[in-house]
Amino acid sequence: MLDGQTCLVTGASRGIGRGIAEDLATHGATVVVNYRSSEKQAQDVVAEIESNDGTAIAVQGDVSDYDDVEDMHAEIHDALGPIDVLVNNAGITIDKKFANMTREDWDAVMDVNLGGVFNCTHCFYDDIQESEHGRLINISSVVGQQGNYGQANYAATKSGLFGFTRTIALEMAHSGSTANCIAPGFVKTDMLEEVPQRVQEKILREIPLDRFATVEDISGIVRFVAGEDSSYMTGQVLGVNGGMEW
Ligand code: NAP
């Protein structure tokens, strides 16, 4: 289904990004597995993809650093040529009540979750526009829709993606390429592990489907958006949250 497409997934060494990278490769895409520090885990993802007859390379780069992303762009172009699909997945949390949040906590989350999206989209913009199958897919969160106690910085970045994605969708539309946001609910990854157990139990009570999402719940939707069947959908936010209200 994705034969001939090259997809860059940022933050793909673990969690949702890993699931997305493996799923896209299983469905025929050539995948770039970006990571910041988890080299061994990123190489494991590449090995897993290759063991299933897929094609992938791992590329190190801190998405919050524009020079790093420019280097990534050069490395990817040398190895594979231009990409068709960019999945801006890399993200971090630094959770604190707003009263205790420092300017450094705010900036650090902004730099990765929004700055990283700027840097990657900016450096790969021409690739996506010039592809016959260009896709920009930004991983937001239900927290960008609802807000969440202790996550003012994170929620602001995830809401920010809605306006950013909508604008890029309008600016890219003439080329036929699309830009969409996926807003997962709470997904069983390292990020959720950092949430205290009693808070996890409270969240679970608010999920009509009565379970946290698996990585596969999210990667299947990303595959749809990356694929041909979504070509008339742009500027949208797809909630994948077990029926949570927002
Ligand atoms: P995770 O398990 O903490 O993994 C984060 C990934 O991002 C890692 O591969 C990490 O690589 C990478 N990363 C972090 N900072 C980076 C940077 N500056 N440059 C490049 N890569 C960086 O997170 P996750 O739960 O899979 O979340 C993935 C995305 O989904 C995030 O955008 C998150 O906000 C969003 N999301 C998550 C949930 C959830 O409940 N888990 C819900 C909604 C949305 P290294 O290990 O190499 O640092």
Side-chain angles (χ1 to χ4, degrees):
M1 177 172 125
L2 291 165
D3 290 341
Q5 308 301 324
T6 300
C7 306
L8 164 59
V9 185
T10 67
S13 55
R14 54 198 165 84
I16 296 171
R18 175 177 187 152
I20 293 169
E22 292 182 355
D23 185 278
L24 294 175
T26 300
H27 290 82
T30 296
V31 173
V32 182
V33 175
N34 159 254
Y35 66 98
R36 176 183 50 182
S37 50
S38 306
E39 184 180 2
K40 162 86 175 67
Q41 284 167 286
Q43 294 298 351
D44 286 349
V45 179
V46 171
E48 176 72 22
I49 288 171
E50 289 175 343
S51 73
N52 289 315
D53 296 327
T55 308
I57 60 169
V59 175
Q60 194 278 333
D62 180 340
V63 296
S64 69
D65 182 324
Y66 197 88
D67 292 343
D68 262 24
V69 179
E70 282 191 310
D71 290 348
M72 263 169 51
H73 180 270
E75 192 177 336
I76 292 166
H77 273 234
D78 281 352
L80 303 170
I83 66 164
D84 304 282
V85 179
L86 169 61
V87 183
N88 280 316
N89 166 79
I92 61 166
T93 52
I94 302 176
D95 296 350
K96 280 173 197 172
K97 282 198 291 187
F98 182 69
N100 298 331
M101 191 172 282
T102 64
R103 181 60 201 233
E104 287 71 29
D105 299 330
W106 175 268
D107 288 343
V109 174
M110 288 290 151
D111 284 351
V112 177
N113 296 11
L114 273 181
V117 169
F118 173 87
N119 294 341
C120 293
T121 306
H122 204 250
C123 287
F124 290 95
Y125 194 73
D126 289 347
D127 286 15
I128 299 167
Q129 279 219 104
E130 287 163 16
S131 167
E132 286 183 12
H133 182 94
R135 297 278 188 274
L136 173 66
I137 303 173
N138 293 323
I139 306 299
S140 177
S141 169
V142 71
V143 169
Q145 297 167 313
Q146 290 188 329
N148 197 24
Y149 194 93
Q151 292 198 308
N153 50 1
Y154 181 77
T157 63
K158 294 301 179 179
S159 301
L161 288 178
F162 301 150
F164 176 77
T165 306
R166 176 82 190 143
T167 302
I168 301 298
L170 297 175
E171 293 187 9
M172 264 189 343
H174 67 91
S175 71
S177 296
T178 69
N180 291 286
C181 252
I182 293 176
F186 292 85
V187 189
K188 288 174 88 64
T189 68
D190 293 349
M191 191 177 273
L192 186 62
E193 287 300 312
E194 289 170 23
V195 175
Q197 192 60 35
R198 66 180 168 74
V199 179
Q200 287 195 34
E201 286 163 13
K202 183 170 176 295
I203 294 167
L204 196 52
R205 287 196 291 276
E206 291 163 12
I207 303 175
L209 286 181
D210 199 25
R211 65 174 178 84
F212 292 119
T214 62
V215 164
E216 291 73 21
D217 288 323
I218 311 305
S219 62
I221 303 294
V222 173
R223 186 201 325 140
F224 164 70
V225 178
E228 201 50 47
D229 288 346
S230 74
S231 54
Y232 196 60
M233 183 182 76
T234 195
Q236 303 303 306
V237 177
L238 282 78
V240 190
N241 57 33
M244 294 179 83
E245 285 183 41
W246 58 277

